[in-house]
Amino acid sequence: MREHSSGIGNWRRVSSGWGGGAGSSSGVLLAGLGVLSFSFSFPATDWALDGGRGLGPWTVTGLRGVLAGLLALGCLVGGRVPVPERRHWRGLAAVALGCVVGFPLLTTFALQTAGSAHSAVVIGVLPLATAVVSALRSRTRLSRSYWGAAVAGAVVVAAFTLLQNHGRPTGADLYLVAALLVCAVGYAEGGRLARDLPGWQVIAWAVVAALPLTAVTAAVAPAVEPVGLTAHAVVGVGYLAAVSQFGGFVLWYRGMAAIGVPRASQLQLAQPLLTLLWSVLLLGERLPPAAPAAAVLVLGCIAITQRVGARRTAVTRPAATTVLTGGPVVSNGGRPD
């Protein structure tokens, strides 16, 4: 029996495919709260830039990474958490490069020329990209019903957000596509790591691992780009660091560990619509008339993917999928080690 404990709490691992019962419900809730947290990220980034009066994109990325890294480091030290095993380092590097550096920087560049609503298109395609990366990484075969609902949901969201801009891709779309790819890898690797490590530790070690890069960026960037500490800029960076870069990921990875990467990733189909709502309320953007219809279609796709299982095929050898719940360590189909 191997027990994994920390100052934050104890978890146990139980065998699961897609989960069920209370564990599955709590996993959906945690992943959903993570999506809600992320849905404010684009408006917060817009505030941090503050229309050219706030901070530059490199400064925003560096500061949010440094502040989140210091917060995470305090939690790790306070909880006396040991350094992850060497086999986890590659995955943590992927999370750091994809979710801590790549995605924030690329989307911040995009938001310099594109609005928050337009940039939400990347979130519409992200669930499908995450599911593809996860399936390839874990050699999982997903059912046709799952793929049908996932593709339909992604198409609805992508079409809805692109139609707002009359279907004309901008230069920012290149940043968004690149951000999509690196973030999908980071999400998939983070979900895989969260089966072995508590979810909060996954993102905590990732932002700490990225500290050398983010610290250098935060130190150098203010000398080469405008820096304005407006009220919006301060609030925006504060939210990005504490919630988007750390707190939201704690909820997100814990939820993914409980219900699996494919199911959790489909909850993100609702994120662009939430972002549109916050864009209207916080940024004064105009809500398109098609929003209610798109919301109904997307929620329908989410409902389907939440009911469809993943059919796993062992390409090499059978292996149990683990989830994290509260209590002592349990494995081998629920039998104590």
Side-chain angles (χ1 to χ4, degrees):
M1 179 177 71
R2 184 169 68 90
E3 191 167 345
H4 198 327
S5 62
S6 71
I8 303 295
N10 299 322
W11 289 264
R12 68 178 174 178
R13 285 171 293 186
V14 295
S15 297
S16 174
W18 280 77
S24 179
S25 298
S26 63
V28 170
L29 176 62
L30 289 169
L33 289 174
V35 169
L36 179 62
S37 300
F38 296 146
S39 69
F40 287 97
S41 295
F42 282 172
T45 303
D46 191 279
W47 272 19
L49 296 171
D50 203 7
R53 298 182 299 273
L55 304 173
W58 289 96
T59 304
V60 170
T61 302
L63 285 178
R64 69 182 279 179
V66 168
L67 294 175
L70 294 176
L71 177 62
L73 186 60
C75 292
L76 292 170
V77 172
R80 298 181 179 180
V81 179
V83 176
E85 299 175 13
R86 195 163 186 168
R87 62 192 177 93
H88 296 139
W89 291 3
R90 175 184 286 186
L92 289 172
V95 177
L97 292 175
C99 300
V100 182
V101 179
F103 185 81
L105 180 61
L106 293 167
T107 53
T108 303
F109 272 122
L111 283 165
Q112 285 189 300
T113 56
S116 176
H118 174 78
S119 297
V121 68
V122 72
I123 302 302
V125 186
L126 183 56
L128 181 58
T130 303
V132 170
V133 172
S134 176
L136 294 175
R137 181 71 174 82
S138 62
R139 299 181 181 181
T140 299
R141 180 177 298 173
L142 302 174
S143 67
R144 292 181 179 178
S145 298
Y146 176 92
W147 281 118
V151 171
V155 168
V156 169
V157 174
F160 174 64
T161 51
L162 285 175
L163 282 174
Q164 293 179 82
N165 298 279
H166 309 289
R168 299 174 184 174
T170 65
D173 290 326
L174 295 177
Y175 289 123
L176 295 174
V177 171
L180 161 71
L181 296 177
V182 297
C183 192
V185 173
Y187 275 1
E189 284 299 307
R192 183 182 64 82
L193 288 171
R195 298 181 185 136
D196 296 327
L197 301 172
W200 76 272
Q201 291 185 22
V202 174
I203 188 58
W205 284 116
V207 293
V208 168
L211 267 176
L213 285 175
T214 55
V216 171
T217 301
V220 174
V224 297
E225 62 184 11
V227 176
L229 293 179
T230 64
H232 277 175
V234 172
V235 173
V237 169
Y239 183 88
L240 291 172
V243 181
S244 298
Q245 197 66 77
F246 185 59
F249 274 102
V250 172
L251 299 169
W252 174 244
Y253 282 139
R254 187 80 188 275
M256 278 203 295
I259 64 176
V261 174
R263 281 185 69 190
S265 68
Q266 293 316 303
L267 291 174
Q268 279 196 313
L269 289 171
Q271 186 172 328
L273 301 179
L274 289 172
T275 298
L276 289 173
L277 176 61
W278 312 142
S279 297
V280 170
L281 297 178
L282 299 177
L283 305 178
E285 295 187 11
R286 195 173 175 180
L287 184 65
V296 171
L297 291 174
V298 167
L299 291 177
C301 293
I302 293 175
I304 294 174
T305 58
Q306 290 298 297
R307 287 169 173 75
V308 177
R311 182 159 51 92
R312 297 178 179 270
T313 56
V315 177
T316 53
R317 64 176 185 273
T321 301
T322 58
V323 299
L324 305 174
T325 58
V329 177
V330 176
S331 61
N332 299 327
R335 299 187 300 275
D337 288 338

